[in-house]
Amino acid sequence: MRRLLLLPAVVAVAACTTAPSVSEHPKPSPRELEEVTAVLKRDFRARGQATMDRVELDEVQRLCNLHADNPPAELARPIEETQLKAIPFPAGSMMGDWKNGEKIAQSGRGAMWSDKPGVQEGGSCYNCHQISPKETAFGTIGPSLAGYGKTRGNRPEIQRYVYGKIYNSKAYNACSQMPRLGHSKTLNEQQIKDLVALLLDPASPVNQ
Amino acid sequence: MRTVIGSAALALAFAPALAQQSPYAEYQRMARESAPVELFELAGEEAWKKKQGPKNVSLEQCDLGQGPGVLKGAYASLPRYFKDTDRVMDLETRLLHCMMTLQGRSREEATKRVFGNADNASEMEVLSAYIAGHSHGMPMRPGTSHAKEKAAYQLGQKLFFHRAGSWDFSCASCHGEEDKRIRMSGLPVLYKPQVARPLIATWPAYRVSNSQFKTMQWRMNDCYRQMRMPEPMFGSEAMVSLVHFLTVTAQGEPYRGPAIKR
């Protein structure tokens, strides 16, 4: 459908030489960044659980905004390290219940002003990833996770990586487009363990 | 007004089922046959002419940028700078201004219900349908020469790429890369003119998926909700700037709305 819609426009643009040149992804200065935050403070208001502290930038968001999501490695690395150190990894096995993990992966709710906190929080995983082959309506912002454990096994180090990635994606890739689902308190320890099982448990449909 | 919109919803009650079989052609056919947009336009005309507020006058003398009461081409020239308020305004912000100044209504009362639902569209939604309809076929020409228009564009652009909120999203997280989708909905790269033009030039629009007529300020509001951000205030400078940025990116495109959307 998108293609169909685009076709006439492409023709129109080709015929039009006065189209404005829109600069791709501008890098704001630290001062401009502060100005944008001030605008958000003035023009937004708290609603439900979406309180105004959410417009304040933390070190990750500041870094990514200043560098148009593409920071030099020497600036990204120390921030990834602090994010990694702050992950409260559970002791022992991190494999929960994949069936529950599938439900959490399916749910796109959670952390919005329209959601009740603590009720049916989801990870929106299918919004961005292919995961179980049974779900064909998956998004493509992130890579496919189909067969994730089949190729990687489920050794403790893999469990730890997957747990950490879900808890705080930025600990491994500072400007990842993936939300920090544990760090933002959207998902709790048990929910993240259930997702680890969804990706790594040999019995999970993901690995069939 | 309620009955008019009620029948529009009825006419489209079968729409979501058809939508699943997808074809765009189906929407086109439905658009022609049931023309629900016209019903919203009709309700909007009624709202435009209705005397109300403490001053008990209609909006008919509202100046949308082309002179008091001039509707033709008004929407296609927005957002733009208005001297009387010394700020850039989009259609919805300007309508709110007229409700407050011409009709003497309070901001609280006039914004109590800017976004309606499937049973009952809001006054703002039907007014937008009616006024936008008068620009059909005309090229989108938002104001770009005044200093405040340039500033609005720049602020809008910065907001588009600004990552914040508990899920670290910017608009570009979902509208920044080609050929991406969330579940099955395609994600248009809205800062690219060739992508923005055919889409932005169709708002406000009737959304078949939830049987509602929706405006651009609603679209911004709902994307910020999905971004896990606090709620943007209706008609705020931030929202007008974002709409201005998107509209300038789409400029030149003949206005094809109010349209029917997925």
Side-chain angles (χ1 to χ4, degrees):
Chain A
M1 172 183 155
R2 195 70 67 193
R3 289 260 148 70
L4 270 170
L5 277 174
L6 285 183
L7 213 63
V10 172
V11 175
V13 167
C16 171
T17 49
T18 54
S21 67
V22 179
S23 86
E24 295 285 271
H25 189 157
K27 284 187 195 168
S29 67
R31 192 205 156 93
E32 285 175 317
L33 208 53
E34 266 171 41
E35 284 165 6
V36 172
T37 301
V39 166
L40 295 177
K41 282 186 186 165
R42 184 195 63 198
D43 289 353
F44 283 57
R45 63 176 172 210
R47 179 163 172 190
Q49 63 175 300
T51 45
M52 282 304 286
D53 54 315
R54 293 189 182 186
V55 310
E56 301 285 359
L57 301 177
D58 76 348
E59 58 169 9
V60 167
Q61 295 165 338
R62 178 174 302 279
L63 172 85
C64 299
N65 281 327
L66 287 175
H67 298 277
D69 281 347
N70 199 7
E74 69 270 21
L75 294 180
R77 216 169 293 122
I79 286 180
E80 287 163 0
E81 272 162 28
T82 22
Q83 296 286 309
L84 187 62
K85 276 198 202 112
I87 300 176
F89 284 102
S93 169
M94 295 178 205
M95 301 266 272
D97 171 6
W98 66 261
K99 287 194 185 113
N100 198 42
E102 169 68 13
K103 285 186 203 140
I104 298 162
Q106 287 282 359
S107 168
R109 306 218 71 89
M112 291 180 278
W113 72 62
S114 49
D115 298 322
K116 273 211 194 93
V119 180
Q120 291 177 314
E121 233 84 75
S124 289
C125 315
Y126 280 106
N127 281 5
C128 297
H129 293 285
Q130 177 174 34
I131 310 176
S132 165
K134 286 183 191 138
E135 179 53 83
T136 52
F138 56 85
T140 58
I141 296 178
S144 170
L145 304 174
Y148 199 81
K150 212 167 156 182
T151 49
R152 292 169 182 79
N154 58 15
R155 302 184 316 273
E157 310 85 87
I158 310 264
Q159 291 180 29
R160 191 178 166 86
Y161 168 65
V162 174
Y163 187 97
K165 183 75 190 176
I166 300 169
Y167 189 95
N168 187 341
S169 58
K170 274 68 173 182
Y172 307 85
N173 172 2
C175 297
S176 171
Q177 293 301 338
M178 176 165 157
R180 295 173 277 179
L181 293 149
H183 178 90
S184 65
K185 302 206 160 57
T186 307
L187 300 179
N188 62 31
E189 181 180 310
Q190 189 55 50
Q191 290 171 310
I192 300 178
K193 284 180 170 172
D194 293 345
L195 288 164
V196 172
L198 177 68
L199 294 186
L200 299 181
D201 192 325
S204 158
V206 173
N207 299 315
Q208 297 315 303
Chain B
M1 174 169 140
R2 193 168 303 197
T3 46
V4 169
I5 290 165
S7 56
L10 239 169
L12 277 172
F14 63 99
L18 278 176
Q20 265 152 29
Q21 296 156 24
S22 103
Y24 180 56
E26 268 314 304
Y27 301 152
Q28 294 287 22
R29 189 188 60 75
M30 283 185 339
R32 281 193 304 273
E33 287 183 6
S34 54
V37 164
E38 263 176 45
L39 298 174
F40 291 98
E41 289 177 351
L42 232 68
E45 181 172 9
E46 222 173 273
W48 177 253
K49 294 180 175 162
K50 184 178 165 188
K51 289 190 176 137
Q52 56 175 331
K55 298 191 188 166
N56 196 35
V57 293
S58 74
L59 290 169
E60 286 164 293
Q61 286 307 302
C62 179
D63 183 351
L64 297 167
Q66 308 302 308
V70 180
L71 297 179
K72 194 159 176 60
Y75 181 69
S77 309
L78 291 167
R80 52 165 287 160
Y81 173 78
F82 284 88
K83 212 171 172 183
D84 57 1
T85 53
D86 190 31
R87 61 172 291 207
V88 176
M89 298 169 114
D90 65 351
L91 174 61
E92 294 165 76
T93 312
R94 188 64 186 173
L95 281 171
L96 174 59
H97 169 77
C98 288
M99 289 172 187
M100 289 166 64
T101 52
L102 288 179
Q103 298 182 318
R105 296 159 67 180
S106 71
R107 176 178 294 273
E108 292 65 45
E109 183 270 324
T111 57
K112 199 168 240 162
R113 192 172 175 279
V114 280
F115 308 135
N117 55 36
D119 299 328
N120 193 0
S122 74
E123 180 188 10
M124 198 56 86
E125 287 159 349
V126 295
L127 282 171
S128 300
Y130 174 60
I131 295 159
H134 284 83
S135 284
H136 196 90
M138 304 172 79
M140 305 284 279
R141 291 272 174 242
T144 52
S145 52
H146 191 276
K148 291 212 168 171
E149 292 168 341
K150 292 189 173 120
Y153 174 86
Q154 270 156 14
L155 175 60
Q157 184 184 42
K158 283 182 203 140
L159 286 167
F160 189 87
F161 291 104
H162 186 81
R163 296 184 73 170
S166 32
W167 281 25
D168 310 320
F169 282 145
S170 74
C171 308
S173 299
C174 295
H175 300 290
E177 258 190 89
E178 263 156 77
D179 292 325
K180 297 286 181 193
R181 47 170 224 257
I182 279 201
R183 291 283 185 161
M184 297 313 276
S185 17
L187 293 169
V189 184
L190 291 168
Y191 68 92
K192 303 226 159 134
Q194 68 273 26
V195 179
R197 288 175 64 131
L199 294 175
I200 299 302
T202 57
W203 286 87
Y206 182 79
R207 298 184 79 229
V208 175
S209 52
N210 62 1
S211 318
Q212 297 185 35
F213 190 85
K214 287 299 176 198
T215 66
M216 200 55 162
Q217 291 256 343
W218 170 82
R219 186 65 264 179
M220 300 299 98
N221 183 281
D222 203 58
C223 279
Y224 272 113
R225 183 180 64 89
Q226 294 178 58
M227 286 167 81
R228 275 75 184 172
M229 283 282 280
E231 185 174 35
M233 284 191 254
F234 183 87
S236 61
E237 191 185 322
M239 285 315 95
V240 172
S241 300
L242 204 43
V243 173
H244 188 248
F245 168 67
L246 294 171
T247 314
V248 171
T249 305
Q251 75 184 344
E253 187 76 5
Y255 179 62
R256 265 187 261 105
I260 302 230
K261 282 193 181 266
R262 192 182 76 84

